[in-house]
Amino acid sequence: INAEYGELSLPPMVVSARMASRARQIRTSVSRATAPCTTAIGHPKKFRTSDGVTLKYTDHGDREGLPVLLLHGWGANGHYFQRNVPQLTRAGLRCLTVDHRGMGDSDKPGHGHRVSRIAADVHDLVSHAQIDQPMIMVGTSLGFTIISLYLEIFGSERVSGVCFVDQTCAMYQRPGWYHGALTLNNPAMCADLTAALQHNWDSLAEDVVRGGFGSVGPSEEEFVFLKEQVLKCDPGHLARLMQDHANLDLTDLMPQIRVPVLNCIGGQTQCHEIRGMEFIGETVPWGKNVTFQEQGHFLYWEDPDRFNQCLIDFSHGCHQHQPGQLFSSLKDEVWQSF
């Protein structure tokens, strides 16, 4: 019992035991097919945000195709979508990725360490890239929070649908809400993360990669590649950004989202309480939860064929059906398996 953070907040020893149990589920031998890791997809472009920060982005596929904006999570970058973009563009979609400020190959400006500022960066990108058709917004992890704030601040006029990936809508445990993050669920744990970012960055980067996988851990090539991407980030920026991200409670915003929501959940996630993620698909007016039973936080990387087909069906469906009819229209084998 933790009086400061709420009656049911988890003490570190309980969290450690839970995480150890989760870790035992991860097999070290790889039984899933893995594609080669590369940074050679697409031609990077740059744009300047309204506060003068230069961000890297990519724009793939037919510019007349249905636009899909892929927003990565904390400690990642656009290369995390390399197993998604080729298949999505072959299906006729226009796919854009961006490296958020302080991460990947974008500027590390030393300011703007807030999710609301990143949502403004996304708004700037939409204007710069001339995304004229209503778009599908895909947000993995932190990307969920970016999109949620984007919709709250800028509205949904330019959005036809949203895909969230493995994120609860409130990370901190609070009275009445006990479905947050598995570890970063109170300020003390975020303080521990800040210390690790400052003093043990390399080791933490390894934990970030391993913690993203579900029942099958990363191959050696995946581990090396993804760790390299994590280490491109500014650890000071990550610390302050996580303090803002983890403190946000977006439960009240979910009923206000007025576009279809495909909410993807990793059945073996090491990051969030599954019940907290299920709340999203149950609470938005036109939402559907889909669980990838053996995958984790990086489910779009771990099972790209299945994720890509879901996103393709969802994207085209958002443009062909009324919101209330969308999910009942999706009846192929991929959807029946959920």
Side-chain angles (χ1 to χ4, degrees), residues 197-247:
L197 284 162
Q198 182 177 358
H199 301 293
N200 204 11
W201 178 212
D202 189 82
S203 177
L204 179 62
E206 296 180 356
D207 292 341
V208 168
V209 174
R210 291 195 179 98
F213 285 78
S215 62
V216 179
S219 68
E220 181 62 25
E221 181 188 15
E222 289 175 314
F223 176 77
V224 171
F225 176 80
L226 293 175
K227 178 184 175 183
E228 180 182 342
Q229 305 314 306
V230 176
L231 291 175
K232 288 182 179 181
C233 300
D234 172 5
H237 170 75
L238 291 185
R240 295 185 63 181
L241 180 62
M242 180 56 77
Q243 290 166 8
D244 180 59
H245 171 46
N247 188 51

Side-chain angles (χ1 to χ4, degrees), residues 45-48 57-60 63 67 69 94-98 121-133 135 158:
K45 302 180 180 183
K46 294 182 178 181
F47 78 102
R48 287 178 68 83
Y57 76 102
T58 62
D59 192 345
H60 311 263
R63 287 184 61 87
L69 179 56
R94 176 190 178 188
C95 294
L96 298 95
T97 72
V98 60
D121 294 344
V122 170
H123 185 257
D124 293 341
L125 173 61
V126 170
S127 297
H128 172 84
Q130 298 178 325
I131 302 177
D132 299 322
Q133 298 186 62
M135 61 184 165
R158 290 177 150 183

